Amino acid sequence: MILFQLNYPAIAIAAIIYMGVAAMWYSPLALGRRWMDENRFGAEDIEQRGMFPALLYAFLAALILALGLALLAHLLGITHWFMGALMGLFVSLMISVPAALPVYVFENRSIRLFASMKACRCWR
């Protein structure tokens, strides 16, 4: 069975790295302030919310994402890091971005927020 052939320590490490990158991404040093402004959050709003459940759900989602990408890479026979990077780029551009865009549009959320979160662009 395919699930027994996966590298679970690598999947866990990928999820941890994902959370680390997200922590830096949403920090005030990167796009944290812009994200808070676009979502009309204040620092007190963030402090009032219990962040542990949100972080737990985010980590579980990161584990599922890493597992899914590992399964996809295994099924495609990807063994080289460069081909894995191309697969990640393909999944991002052809699946993740088109799936997330309608949510932003129908919720009347900022396209600037979408672009900064999905396309890594910053506007001042």
Side-chain angles (χ1 to χ4, degrees), residues 97-115:
V97 169
L101 181 60
V103 173
Y104 278 75
V105 173
F106 283 110
E107 290 181 355
N108 199 26
R109 297 175 84 188
S110 169
I111 295 299
R112 288 177 58 184
L113 177 63
F114 177 81

Side-chain angles (χ1 to χ4, degrees), residues 60-101:
L60 290 175
L63 277 174
I64 292 169
L65 176 63
L67 177 64
L69 289 174
L71 280 169
L72 182 60
H74 180 76
L75 291 171
L76 294 174
I78 295 174
T79 58
H80 193 268
W81 71 268
F82 183 75
M83 293 305 292
L86 285 178
M87 182 194 73
L89 180 64
F90 175 80
V91 168
S92 294
L93 294 178
M94 305 303 267
I95 297 173
S96 178
V97 169
L101 181 60

Side-chain angles (χ1 to χ4, degrees), residues 10-82:
I11 291 169
I13 290 169
I16 291 167
I17 291 171
Y18 179 90
M19 291 297 291
V21 170
M24 289 186 302
W25 189 259
Y26 287 104
S27 76
L29 298 174
L31 292 174
R33 288 190 188 108
R34 180 172 307 283
W35 175 78
M36 288 175 59
D37 290 344
E38 292 289 335
N39 282 298
R40 296 176 187 92
F41 291 149
E44 62 279 351
D45 297 322
I46 301 297
E47 290 174 8
Q48 287 177 355
R49 292 182 66 188
M51 293 308 293
F52 181 75
L55 292 171
L56 180 64
Y57 287 131
F59 183 69
L60 290 175
L63 277 174
I64 292 169
L65 176 63
L67 177 64
L69 289 174
L71 280 169
L72 182 60
H74 180 76
L75 291 171
L76 294 174
I78 295 174
T79 58
H80 193 268
W81 71 268
F82 183 75

